[in-house]
Amino acid sequence: MSSPHSQNRAILLLALAAFVSASAFRICDPMLPRLAAEFGTSTGQAGATVTAFAVAYGLLQMFFGPVGDRYGKFRVVAIATFACAIGSAGAVMAPNLDVLIVCRALSGAAGGGIVPLSMAWIGDNVPYEERQATLARFLTGTILGMAMGQLAGGLITDTMGWRWAFAFLVVGYVVVGSLLLREVAQQQAVQRRLSAAAGPAVASQSGPRHGFVAQVRTVFGVPWARIVLVTVFLEGLLVFGSLAFAPAYLHDRFGLSLTAAGAVVAVYALGGLLYTLVAGRVLRWLGERGLAAAGGVVLSVAFLAYWLGPAWGWALGASVLAGFGYYLLHATLQTNATQMVPSARGTAVAWFASCLFMGQAVGVALAGVFVDVAGAAVLFGTSAVLLPLLGASFAWALKRRAQAKTGEPVVQ
């Protein structure tokens, strides 16, 4: 058992790794026009640097889960961080757009293991009653990283050149990766001392190791895991499918520039940070079921404000509410994901992250068709109706599960 000090230090390092990884996710967004100009291509073609990272990031998450379960989650996060540094170093030296796209795909593939395995490690080491607040602290790294990536990508590209943006990522990955490896060595030293004190009979014990397919079958064989995975898929579809078209909606309706409209929607991150500050108190007040139901309601209010707000300033409040409501619901799902299959926690959390990502991708694709046919206003209205139902449904599922555990009759 690690001390609270060493555990807090480990969680801080994992949050730093998530910060750098999340920064890399968004760092190319503002530099696309500059990449298009330098490589003599269109902005849309330069956007493949974003797509390659995102696709590799989403697909490789499911691979990292069994690897982390087998070889150690913290160790795999450290190695993945150095692999991200290699991909970013290649981006610094990329002679053409094709090489840059490949390097971005490498960084995305490696980065796909950082956040889900960090969450799984927290699930292994933090008691369930403390886990939601701990995950909220960890999420701060991801939220700030997303915002910093967009900010730094534009600022560094304008002042020093786009290659320097990737160079700073390399430095960040190497520094954090080195600290993670040192932490791994310290954890191993503590484990050796504990094993020596416990004696050879205990020290020789180890859990069963299963292959990739067996781990996945274990996860999907648990009914509660299937409920959590379907819910997070629908959450990603409804929330991010609509949010993706919010800037264009504000641009068309209120005449904001695309830059200003994007900045208004980016205030979403403030709502996420607000959640991390009050997570413990809100959890004690509402409980898990209350958080899930409240998240759906707050998200509904947010999308109604986007849709019905008479001036663009309403969208600022809508964005904050969207971020806050999303994390009310998502953090509840995330905490349950860390506990839904304890024997294959890395695999379970990796699939959770992958389902969220796939939900976002499907949501954006469906929303694009929806907007062309019915308009963005109807899209927001649809999300405003369905998200409270999703939150209430998951809250009801939590209640049924709790009653099944205690043997109480389930009230229909």
Side-chain angles (χ1 to χ4, degrees):
M1 179 69 65
S2 59
S3 68
H5 175 73
S6 62
Q7 187 179 92
N8 288 335
R9 183 180 65 239
I11 293 169
L12 174 61
L13 292 177
L14 293 174
L16 288 174
F19 173 85
V20 182
S21 177
S23 297
F25 206 116
R26 298 265 66 98
I27 203 164
C28 274
D29 294 3
M31 66 173 67
L32 293 181
R34 190 66 55 85
L35 293 176
E38 177 155 340
F39 293 121
T41 187
S42 67
T43 302
Q45 289 174 317
T49 57
V50 177
T51 304
F53 186 101
V55 170
Y57 185 94
L59 291 178
L60 268 292
Q61 285 179 346
M62 61 187 73
F63 163 79
F64 273 107
V67 173
D69 283 335
R70 185 174 181 87
Y71 297 106
K73 301 172 184 68
F74 210 100
R75 181 187 294 110
V76 174
V77 170
I79 294 171
T81 303
F82 280 108
C84 289
I86 294 172
S88 294
V92 172
M93 300 178 287
N96 54 57
L97 183 60
D98 289 338
V99 172
L100 179 59
I101 291 170
V102 170
C103 292
R104 286 287 290 166
L106 172 60
S107 292
I114 292 175
V115 171
L117 289 184
S118 296
M119 289 166 48
W121 186 91
I122 291 171
D124 287 341
N125 291 275
V126 177
Y128 188 82
E129 60 272 13
E130 301 173 17
R131 201 173 297 164
Q132 185 136 332
T134 302
L135 286 169
R137 298 202 325 263
F138 168 75
L139 275 174
T140 304
T142 303
I143 296 168
L144 291 176
M146 289 281 191
M148 181 58 68
Q150 288 188 314
L151 176 63
L155 181 62
I156 297 173
T157 298
D158 284 339
T159 56
M160 302 174 67
W162 64 268
R163 294 182 190 272
W164 280 100
F166 292 112
F168 280 109
L169 283 180
V170 174
V171 173
Y173 279 127
V174 170
V175 170
V176 175
S178 299
L179 293 173
L180 288 168
L181 283 182
R182 188 175 71 173
E183 183 68 21
V184 168
Q186 292 176 348
Q187 289 178 4
Q188 290 175 334
V190 170
Q191 188 60 45
R192 283 194 296 269
R193 288 197 298 270
L194 292 174
S195 298
V202 176
S204 62
Q205 292 176 1
S206 62
R209 292 183 172 184
H210 305 293
F212 177 85
V213 175
Q215 292 282 68
V216 173
R217 289 177 63 186
T218 298
V219 172
F220 282 90
V222 177
W224 180 241
R226 296 197 295 269
I227 291 173
V228 173
L229 294 177
V230 169
T231 304
V232 79
F233 175 87
L234 293 174
E235 177 197 47
L237 185 152
L238 292 171
V239 174
F240 293 102
S242 294
L243 276 180
F245 291 90
Y249 174 76
L250 295 174
H251 170 73
D252 291 340
R253 183 178 176 192
F254 299 113
L256 294 179
S257 69
L258 288 176
T259 300
V264 168
V265 177
V267 174
Y268 162 94
L270 292 180
L273 289 175
L274 176 61
Y275 165 78
T276 67
L277 294 175
V278 301
R281 280 169 287 175
V282 175
L283 177 61
R284 288 191 295 271
W285 181 33
L286 295 176
E288 274 197 327
R289 297 197 297 270
L291 283 182
V297 172
V298 174
L299 282 166
S300 177
V301 173
F303 284 112
L304 286 174
Y306 279 128
W307 176 21
L308 302 174
W312 69 265
W314 283 63
L316 288 169
S319 296
V320 174
L321 287 174
F324 187 71
Y326 170 73
Y327 282 105
L328 285 174
L329 175 57
H330 183 71
T332 306
L333 287 165
Q334 188 170 253
T335 306
N336 278 270
T338 64
Q339 193 63 23
M340 60 190 184
V341 191
S343 63
R345 203 186 309 269
T347 303
V349 177
W351 272 93
F352 174 84
S354 189
C355 283
L356 172 64
F357 184 90
M358 289 187 287
Q360 293 180 41
V362 172
V364 172
L366 290 178
V369 176
F370 204 101
V371 167
D372 288 343
V373 173
V378 180
L379 175 67
F380 295 150
T382 301
S383 289
V385 170
L386 295 180
L387 280 165
L389 295 177
L390 183 68
S393 296
F394 189 67
W396 179 75
L398 283 168
K399 182 178 180 179
R400 282 179 59 98
R401 187 166 187 256
Q403 290 173 331
K405 283 184 174 181
T406 59
E408 297 178 17
V410 178
V411 179
Q412 300 294 333

